[in-house]
Amino acid sequence: MLSRIDHVGIAVRDLDEAIRIYERRLGLRSTGRERLEREGIEIAMIPIGESRIELIMPINPDSRVEKFLQDRGEAVHHVAYATDDVRGSLEQAGAAGAQLLDEVARPGAHGTRIGFVHPKSVCGVLTEFVEADGQSGA
Ligand code: CO
């Protein structure tokens, strides 16, 4: 059901600076930014092969990513797996004993549908399922 790593999310303090670091030091290229007001974050996507790096910066103090940064500093925040059925993947993980942060799929960036599994259930890694809207995903 899970087909590949869609993206790795990385929590950052300064999105402009983080983009510069990934572009200059790794020679990658950021292709798009998006503010998700409801989540309290702004993200930048950096394509790499069939996957992406998702740089995530909190834009308000109540954001979960702000709390993550205070606890852990800049670090890998989550791993996202592509699936053709977010709800089915959540149900399967839940049936196997995982603690779900989303019981049903909800809207993500760039028209995707997403759902999260608690890090305690996946070896300490916040885990996202993502279902692309259209062929190329986001
Ligand atoms: Co993500």
Side-chain angles (χ1 to χ4, degrees):
M1 223 177 214
L2 305 182
S3 53
R4 61 185 172 82
I5 292 179
D6 184 86
H7 63 270
V8 174
I10 299 173
V12 303
R13 277 269 164 233
D14 180 332
L15 194 56
D16 291 319
E17 177 63 12
I19 290 168
R20 273 195 294 275
I21 286 170
Y22 275 78
E23 291 192 340
R24 286 191 192 154
R25 295 187 181 159
L26 300 188
L28 300 173
R29 199 54 64 199
S30 169
T31 56
R33 291 173 72 141
E34 185 171 346
R35 279 172 78 90
L36 300 173
E37 300 288 347
R38 204 162 46 93
E39 313 285 337
I41 58 174
E42 182 169 346
I43 64 172
M45 282 297 188
I46 301 177
I48 172 75
E50 61 175 12
S51 302
R52 279 158 287 270
I53 296 295
E54 179 184 71
L55 302 174
I56 314 162
M57 175 183 72
I59 54 174
N60 79 50
D62 299 326
S63 162
R64 280 193 200 160
V65 178
E66 176 61 37
K67 291 179 181 67
F68 178 92
L69 282 168
Q70 284 173 14
D71 291 344
R72 312 255 297 258
E74 292 188 320
V76 171
H77 179 262
H78 65 274
V79 174
Y81 299 87
T83 175
D84 54 5
D85 179 4
V86 169
R87 200 180 75 159
S89 294
L90 287 169
E91 282 174 2
Q92 185 175 351
Q99 181 183 334
L100 305 181
L101 295 173
D102 296 294
E103 295 294 333
V104 295
R106 60 186 171 88
H110 307 301
T112 55
R113 288 150 51 77
I114 62 173
F116 281 92
V117 180
H118 197 285
K120 282 181 179 155
S121 299
V122 197
C123 304
V125 179
L126 177 62
T127 295
E128 176 181 359
F129 299 136
V130 56
E131 180 183 328
D133 177 23
Q135 79 283 21
S136 65

